[in-house]
Amino acid sequence: MTDTPQKIGLIAGNGKFPFLVLDAARSQGMQVVVAAIKEETFPEIEQRGATAVYWLSLGELSRLIETFKSEGVTRAIMAGQVKHKQIFSSIKPDLRLAKLLLSLATRNTDSLIGAVTKVLADEGISLMSSTVLLEPMLATEGVLTQRGPTDSEQTNITYGRAVAHHLSRFDIGQTVVIAEAACVAVEAMEGTDATILRAGEIMKSPSLGKEPSTLSRALTVVKVAKPNQDMRFDVPVAGLKTIETMKQAGASCLALDAGRCLLLDKEALLSAANEAGICVVAETAVTHIPHHSV
């Protein structure tokens, strides 16, 4: 009797994350059925050896379920971002998704994807942790670059982590940008890169003058997981583009949650950070959130 290869579904959003999951699954001998989101997924997904690739619009929840059922998929992974602002786009949800959207008390990432997850489970399709095949890519605790944080950057990290963890409880965003223990920018629907660039623009504003008078304008980027992060979806991710964006914005330090943030292209990311003199550090999240006093 020969073992039949495991078959899993992959709901693919944008970026490289879905490609990494697909490659990892195939390397373990799994058959992968990809549900690629037309509005998000890179077209190159078709050239990565999936058993099948189906292109679905973001609003086609019923078709997603029908596709996986017809392929005999009972376990799936959701990988890659679907921009939160898409819920306000001109994409027409099918009847099933429309009812789901209208039933939600809040329409943040957790409630929306959590509701979709429940619908999938009710149809016999369970969502696996998006990092189950990518454990080596999770940020490990400690300083990951050639240099550690300066005293000023560490102060920013401590304050930034407290702010970010408070905000993440409301699923507003997972990133804050700090300078001299002052919160410069908070992530909302625009995404991490846009938040970092916005912070850079604030610090380069003509109204501030060309040179800082007393306080440094170097930015520290703090990205955290939610207190009860569901590792099946919306896992914090940092990649080479994060470092490139930080360079553009004038950010000198990136702080992450150890064990709960994926580093895409880890070697390239850390190499670029070292070249730019950017510190990357990961700390284990604390359950108690300290009060910041001045």
Side-chain angles (χ1 to χ4, degrees):
M1 180 178 170
T2 56
D3 289 335
T4 303
Q6 285 182 289
K7 183 181 279 190
I8 64 167
L10 172 59
I11 304 169
N14 63 39
K16 293 184 177 180
F17 192 2
F19 292 79
L20 296 170
V21 172
L22 176 52
D23 291 346
R26 290 190 64 237
S27 73
Q28 295 184 29
M30 297 179 181
Q31 294 181 352
V32 184
V33 176
V34 177
I37 299 171
K38 291 176 185 176
E39 297 82 10
E40 298 284 357
T41 315
F42 293 167
E44 293 82 6
I45 198 82
E46 293 189 342
Q47 279 77 56
R48 294 299 270 255
T51 301
V53 177
Y54 296 89
W55 289 92
L56 287 71
S57 177
L58 193 58
E60 297 180 309
L61 179 55
S62 291
R63 189 164 163 236
L64 170 66
I65 292 166
E66 290 162 9
T67 298
F68 280 166
K69 281 189 169 183
S70 69
E71 285 282 354
V73 168
T74 57
R75 297 187 306 150
I77 292 177
M78 190 178 289
Q81 186 187 42
V82 174
K83 299 181 191 73
H84 190 174
K85 63 185 179 184
Q86 289 280 24
I87 66 171
F88 295 106
S89 71
S90 58
I91 297 164
K92 299 298 182 188
D94 64 17
L95 185 60
R96 191 165 205 162
L97 184 59
K99 285 181 177 177
L100 192 101
L101 280 169
L102 292 171
S103 72
L104 298 175
T106 58
R107 296 185 178 91
N108 54 30
T109 307
D110 267 4
S111 60
L112 180 56
I113 303 183
V116 170
T117 300
K118 186 179 184 306
V119 170
L120 290 174
D122 290 344
E123 294 290 344
I125 303 161
S126 62
L127 270 192
M128 304 157 58
S129 166
S130 59
T131 63
V132 69
L133 302 173
L134 303 174
E135 295 291 341
M137 294 176 59
L138 289 169
T140 52
E141 187 170 14
V143 176
L144 306 179
T145 42
Q146 290 171 356
R147 79 167 183 87
T150 63
D151 289 346
S152 176
E153 288 167 344
Q154 187 58 56
T155 299
N156 287 342
I157 292 169
T158 302
Y159 173 53
R161 287 177 70 82
V163 172
H165 279 118
H166 276 297
L167 289 170
S168 68
R169 289 179 169 185
F170 298 96
D171 196 26
I172 295 169
Q174 296 171 308
T175 302
V176 296
V177 187
I178 310 294
E180 293 284 7
C183 190
V184 180
V186 173
E187 179 186 4
M189 284 191 180
E190 74 275 41
T192 300
D193 290 340
T195 304
I196 297 170
L197 290 175
R198 177 158 50 85
E201 288 168 4
I202 291 170
M203 284 307 190
K204 294 170 186 172
S205 170
S207 64
L208 296 182
K210 290 186 178 181
E211 296 295 332
S213 56
T214 311
L215 302 177
S216 167
R217 294 180 193 169
L219 300 168
T220 295
V221 177
V222 181
K223 191 176 184 75
V224 302
K226 303 180 189 78
N228 299 309
Q229 180 72 49
D230 191 329
M231 297 300 280
R232 293 176 299 175
F233 51 80
D234 199 31
V235 177
V237 171
L240 183 57
K241 190 180 178 188
T242 309
I243 300 300
E244 292 169 350
T245 305
M246 288 177 63
K247 282 171 59 179
Q248 188 178 340
S252 62
C253 180
L254 173 63
L256 308 166
D257 268 357
R260 303 205 298 170
C261 181
L262 279 171
L263 297 180
L264 307 185
D265 296 327
K266 185 175 180 178
E267 288 186 15
L269 181 158
L270 296 179
S271 176
N274 285 327
E275 189 177 328
I278 292 172
C279 163
V280 180
V281 60
E283 298 179 6
T284 300
V286 292
T287 52
H288 169 68
I289 298 174
H291 174 71
H292 178 75
S293 58
V294 292

